[in-house]
Amino acid sequence: MTTTPKGRSKFDASAAILGYLFQVRSALLLAVTREEASDLLSLEMLDDVAFVPQEANSANPTEVLQFKHSLSKAASLTDKSVDLWKTLRVWSELVHSKKLDPQRTLFTLVTTGVATEDAAVALLRSDFSKPGEPHIRNAEKARTLIETAGAASTNRTVMDAFASLSRLSLSQKKILFSNIHLLDASPNVTRARELIEHELRYLVDDAKFQLPGFTDRLEGWWFRVVVDHLVAGHKTALQVGQIHSHVRELREQFKRDSLPDDFLYALVPDDKTQPDDDRCFVDQLRLINASGLLIRKAQENHYRAYEQRSRWVRETLLGLSDVAVYEHRLVSEWEQKVTIALDGFADTSNEAKCGLGKSIYTWTQDSAVLSPALFIRPNFSSGYMVRGSFHMLADKKRVAWHPDHCLPLLADAPDAQTGAPRNA
């Protein structure tokens, strides 16, 4: 639930969208910080968010949470607030229908709004918010005052919610309120992201540059999981351990001997696969009479490798010196392959030259991909990186396929001992 500030169009859905994002992001934050990996997490099943112990005899209670997000910094929560009573209605009906045992459940209202000083709902805070002042939680007093406020309300939503609450017995209401906890002035959707990053800060080597990318990947995965969870015909709860496992998996990708793979399934934009592409690496393929399909695959691999390497560099997961060393390894292997291929080659026909060039190119796209010596990192083996990186080198005229273009590059290659061109 999200409150829309005055001045916005009644058709503006941004507040509602932010409210759902707040709920989803907050669920991720809670899951990341949760110790019980076996607990089950659900969204929009029992409540906005719910944590249920997997073991029936667990000592831990079920936890249900309602989230209320406001775009207004001055949003307040009173005993007659619609947000409060909508929440009470949900919980009352869950208890009345016996879907929840109030004695074994923690009910938490998480809101970015702030309970007013004279509101009885403030008595449901877990801890008093003002330093130095005594703890004033008093669930029973809060219950009687909130019920009085609900009985006096003429708001239709509040009246319906009060009717739901009234269906509970007195003992049920007392138990329910004793387990209700208010978390007002909670971090908004933006601040929730910052808190997630704070929890993950020790999982990367350079938090300043790498943490945003790490968190982006975690959230991207989490949003996909949530969408699948919500659209499933028969919803099943998610295991908190599944989220913990993905965090560990991401951590492995951010280690020195690995890298995250963001473009394995990436869709390639149409403007990167045009038939009239005049980039150098495409022209090199045309010189060996490559088919249109072969050229298109080359364009796709070039795009994925270029975009992935660029992202790694931006996030300091890969340094420019690392790129230089990697490209040197590729060029050295290409030189070795071309030198062997051209040794004794005397056929001057263009058809033969194209055939030889295609065999050199095929090696870069086939056998080279399987060679660990050409992986950019030992634990990053996606083929598009080797294939696309060779195309990037071809675009910079550091490698070629047609013999007429290979020979000048071999002649200009620096000597391993002196560093000077070999034909100097």
Side-chain angles (χ1 to χ4, degrees):
M1 171 65 187
T2 301
T3 304
T4 304
K6 293 179 179 179
R8 288 181 180 263
S9 166
K10 65 180 181 179
F11 301 110
D12 185 354
S14 58
I17 293 172
L18 284 174
Y20 286 117
L21 290 175
F22 175 61
Q23 175 182 329
V24 172
R25 181 172 277 173
S26 296
L28 176 60
L29 174 60
L30 291 169
V32 166
T33 58
R34 198 169 185 85
E35 294 184 1
E36 292 295 333
S38 63
D39 283 356
L40 300 177
L41 164 63
S42 66
L43 293 92
E44 300 295 345
M45 288 175 64
L46 281 174
D47 208 344
D48 285 354
V49 175
F51 290 95
V52 181
Q54 190 173 41
E55 295 81 11
N57 60 349
S58 172
N60 297 324
T62 294
E63 297 181 38
V64 294
L65 302 99
Q66 281 272 322
F67 291 88
K68 309 298 180 184
H69 186 273
S70 175
L71 294 173
S72 172
K73 294 181 179 179
S76 60
L77 189 70
T78 71
D79 298 336
K80 291 185 179 182
S81 292
V82 170
D83 279 353
L84 171 62
W85 280 97
K86 281 184 175 180
T87 298
L88 290 174
R89 180 176 185 176
V90 171
W91 291 341
S92 297
E93 293 181 356
L94 286 171
V95 172
H96 186 262
S97 62
K98 297 183 179 180
K99 291 181 179 179
L100 286 177
D101 178 358
Q103 290 186 312
R104 294 272 303 144
T105 306
L106 290 178
F107 302 86
T108 304
L109 172 56
V110 182
T111 176
T112 56
V114 181
T116 57
E117 291 296 327
D118 58 343
V121 68
L123 299 175
L124 296 175
R125 288 176 179 143
S126 294
D127 295 294
F128 198 62
S129 58
K130 295 182 180 178
E133 294 195 21
H135 188 283
I136 61 166
R137 177 174 171 81
N138 190 328
E140 182 56 19
K141 182 177 180 181
R143 180 190 66 80
T144 57
L145 293 175
I146 290 172
E147 279 199 90
T148 299
S153 176
T154 57
N155 180 283
R156 185 73 260 171
T157 300
V158 175
M159 292 169 65
D160 290 342
F162 178 75
S164 294
L165 179 62
S166 299
R167 281 197 288 270
L168 300 181
S169 67
L170 179 59
S171 62
Q172 286 178 315
K173 288 189 285 188
K174 286 185 175 182
I175 296 171
L176 171 61
F177 272 83
S178 70
N179 284 324
I180 291 177
H181 295 267
L182 171 67
L183 294 180
D184 61 338
S186 292
N188 62 19
V189 65
T190 303
R191 177 60 179 151
R193 161 68 185 228
E194 295 172 358
L195 292 176
I196 293 174
E197 290 189 356
H198 181 77
E199 292 295 329
L200 304 174
R201 66 194 184 282
Y202 295 122
L203 301 181
V204 294
D205 295 329
D206 187 337
K208 180 179 180 181
F209 292 100
Q210 297 173 3
L211 188 54
F214 188 102
T215 311
D216 283 346
R217 290 174 176 88
L218 176 60
E219 282 200 326
W221 169 83
W222 175 238
F223 289 149
R224 290 192 296 273
V225 168
V226 169
V227 169
D228 291 342
H229 174 68
L230 294 177
V231 301
H234 299 284
K235 293 182 185 176
T236 55
L238 310 165
Q239 196 169 62
V240 171
Q242 179 183 355
I243 300 166
H244 292 179
S245 294
H246 193 73
V247 171
R248 290 193 294 270
E249 181 181 321
L250 281 175
R251 175 66 187 111
E252 290 300 312
Q253 294 177 21
F254 275 70
K255 287 184 176 180
R256 180 62 188 172
D257 61 353
S258 188
L259 287 163
D261 191 344
D262 305 302
F263 286 87
L264 180 61
Y265 302 106
L267 295 177
V268 180
D270 290 341
D271 63 347
K272 300 298 182 182
T273 58
Q274 294 299 313
D276 59 351
D277 193 338
D278 61 357
R279 285 176 290 179
C280 184
F281 80 91
V282 177
D283 287 338
Q284 289 216 39
L285 289 171
R286 293 190 180 110
L287 286 173
I288 58 172
N289 296 326
S291 67
L293 181 59
L294 207 61
I295 289 175
R296 181 179 178 86
K297 295 303 295 183
Q299 292 168 320
E300 292 174 353
N301 285 319
H302 180 279
Y303 170 82
R304 291 191 173 98
Y306 179 87
E307 293 298 327
Q308 183 65 87
R309 281 170 48 173
S310 297
R311 182 170 184 179
W312 288 336
V313 170
R314 288 195 304 271
E315 296 175 350
T316 71
L317 294 169
L318 197 69
L320 293 177
S321 60
D322 297 321
V323 173
V325 169
Y326 178 58
E327 291 189 340
H328 178 76
R329 284 195 281 128
L330 294 176
V331 172
S332 294
E333 288 299 312
W334 170 85
E335 290 176 353
Q336 182 73 17
K337 178 68 177 178
V338 171
T339 300
I340 294 173
L342 292 179
D343 187 49
F345 180 73
D347 195 328
T348 59
S349 69
N350 189 59
E351 182 179 358
K353 290 179 179 179
C354 286
L356 182 66
K358 191 166 289 186
S359 70
I360 295 171
Y361 172 72
T362 299
W363 168 80
T364 69
Q365 306 297 295
D366 190 357
S367 301
V369 171
L370 303 177
S371 172
L374 298 183
F375 293 171
I376 194 165
R377 288 280 172 80
N379 290 330
F380 187 92
S381 57
S382 289
Y384 73 81
M385 183 52 59
V386 177
R387 296 183 181 108
S389 292
F390 270 116
H391 289 303
M392 293 170 68
L393 289 168
D395 210 41
K396 293 186 283 189
K397 299 182 179 180
R398 293 185 61 190
V399 302
W401 322 123
H402 195 286
D404 290 348
H405 292 264
C406 290
L407 286 169
L409 291 177
L410 287 176
D412 290 338
D415 183 88
Q417 299 294 324
T418 66
R422 292 170 183 162
N423 64 347

